[in-house]
């Protein structure tokens, strides 16, 4: 079953939140079983988990993660403003405060708090900024492949040029998967999960398949965080925090370990043979690492103080 909830974000922007509670189907003969997730009790019902996608993403990218968590917890994935089925306000804003305020509204309006926040890339930054701002709402955070350091002007320009290089429109979704998964010059090697990621965010138009988001808005959203470093907010996260990186992702080992050092209660994990889309490329390893951490966090006292 898939259930949609509407959330009123900052400035009244309508946001779509999703529960993916239907099972993904029986495992195949070679699929590893899901690791056990420790039980957790809550007087108000199942403990809450909020999943936050990265830039260009959507809540559906968390469907598999939400499904296996839903056996013990209430796992909700949010389409952030400008993404998925959420509103795309022409005038914005798409700054950091707007994204963090939206996540805060989702936790409060859906009754998830204190929740575990699981974020990928930009969504991970939103997670740790909310944990720093509202420790009463957050039990723990999972930071997946997101840098705390500022990116230079060159990196910002290269990303803008890459966005403009997409061969739009795509004739078919197969073309989307092939270009983003194998033919994109930015790739170091074929990554089928990357093709699946981008097929999820395309919409069919009269002339073919195009992004279901405004590239202008995505540039505005990215510019609001890549020009600044975020170490200070990271140091303000008082709850348990798990930093996860793919060994071939965008977050380097040295920076990841420094992030763990800065976090008052930081932990580190890496996943071999995974790039930026860790949770999609290596789902079994992702479950083995994240499942016990979430279970432990939701079985402990609410965040807000030192453990």
């Amino acid at each position: 079953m898939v259930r949609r909830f509407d959330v009123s974000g900052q400035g009244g922007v309508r946001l779509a939140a999703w529960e993916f509670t239907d099972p993904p189907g029986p495992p195949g003969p070679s699929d590893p079983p899901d690791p056990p997730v420790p039980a957790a009790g809550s007087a108000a019902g199942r403990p809450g988990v909020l999943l936050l996608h990265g830039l260009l993403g959507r809540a559906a990218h968390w469907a598999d993660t939400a499904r296996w968590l839903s056996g013990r917890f209430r796992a909700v994935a949010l389409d952030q403003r400008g993404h998925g089925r959420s509103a795309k306000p022409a005038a914005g804003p798409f700054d950091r405060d707007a994204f963090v305020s939206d996540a805060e509204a989702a936790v409060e309006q859906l009754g998830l708090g204190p929740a575990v926040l699981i974020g990928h890339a930009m969504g991970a930054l939103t997670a740790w900024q909310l944990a720093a701002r509202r420790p009463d709402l957050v039990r723990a955070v999972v930071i997946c492949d997101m840098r705390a350091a500022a990116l230079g002007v060159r990196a910002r320009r290269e990303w803008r040029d890459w966005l403009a290089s997409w061969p739009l429109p795509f004739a078919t979704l197969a073309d989307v998967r092939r270009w983003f998964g194998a033919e994109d010059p930015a790739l170091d090697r074929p990554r089928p999960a990357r093709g699946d990621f981008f097929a999820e965010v395309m919409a069919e138009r009269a002339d073919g398949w195009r992004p279901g988001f405004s590239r202008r808005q995505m540039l505005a959203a990215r510019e609001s965080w890549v020009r600044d470093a975020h170490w200070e907010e990271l140091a303000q996260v008082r709850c348990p925090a798990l930093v996860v990186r793919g060994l071939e992702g965008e977050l380097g080992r040295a920076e990841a370990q420094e992030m763990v050092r800065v976090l008052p209660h930081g932990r580190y994990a890496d996943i071999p043979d995974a790039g930026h889309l860790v949770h999609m490329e290596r789902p079994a390893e992702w479950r083995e690492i994240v499942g016990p951490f979430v279970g432990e966090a939701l079985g402990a006292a609410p965040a807000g103080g030192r453990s």
Side-chain angles (χ1 to χ4, degrees), residues 12 26 65 91 95 138 140 149 154 170 182 190-191 208 223 242 272 276 302 305:
T65 295
D95 57 14
V138 184
R154 178 179 177 182
F170 292 96
R191 295 190 178 276
E223 188 63 21
L242 174 64
H276 183 55

Side-chain angles (χ1 to χ4, degrees), residues 60-248:
H61 289 138
W62 287 120
D64 287 346
T65 295
R67 283 172 175 138
W68 64 261
L69 286 173
S70 69
R72 295 294 183 95
F73 313 117
R74 186 183 180 203
V76 177
L78 181 69
D79 275 334
Q80 297 179 77
R81 62 175 56 211
H83 298 75
R85 296 294 183 88
S86 288
K88 303 168 177 61
F94 291 97
D95 57 14
R96 284 284 80 217
D97 184 62
F99 284 101
V100 176
S101 294
D102 289 348
E104 181 180 6
V107 173
E108 291 187 320
Q109 293 174 32
L110 298 174
L112 299 174
V116 171
L117 306 183
I118 300 178
H120 174 248
M122 182 189 74
L125 175 58
T126 300
W128 88 62
Q129 288 181 319
L130 178 55
R133 178 192 291 187
R134 291 288 308 273
D136 58 307
L137 292 182
V138 184
R139 286 183 185 259
V141 294
V142 176
I143 299 167
C144 180
D145 211 60
M146 178 59 191
R147 300 184 61 184
L151 300 183
V153 173
R154 178 179 177 182
R156 289 150 61 186
R157 183 174 60 250
E158 287 175 347
W159 196 85
R160 181 186 296 268
D161 292 345
W162 169 73
L163 201 62
S165 75
W166 297 4
L168 300 174
F170 292 96
T172 68
L173 285 178
D175 293 333
V176 174
R177 289 188 171 91
R178 182 167 55 251
W179 195 81
F180 286 103
E183 297 176 355
D184 183 353
L187 283 171
D188 56 348
R189 63 180 177 87
R191 295 190 178 276
R194 190 171 183 264
D196 294 337
F197 176 98
F198 282 100
E200 284 273 6
V201 301
M202 294 292 164
E204 190 171 20
R205 311 296 187 193
D207 59 348
W209 293 86
R210 294 180 176 273
F213 49 74
S214 161
R215 287 186 289 176
R216 176 185 61 81
Q217 292 179 351
M218 297 301 100
L219 286 167
R222 189 173 190 268
E223 188 63 21
S224 73
W225 56 264
V226 300
R227 65 173 178 264
D228 299 319
H230 303 283
W231 296 101
E232 182 177 349
E233 297 133 310
L234 201 67
Q236 296 171 7
V237 176
R238 314 310 300 180
C239 61
L242 174 64
V243 177
V244 183
R245 62 180 284 265
L247 291 184
E248 301 169 8

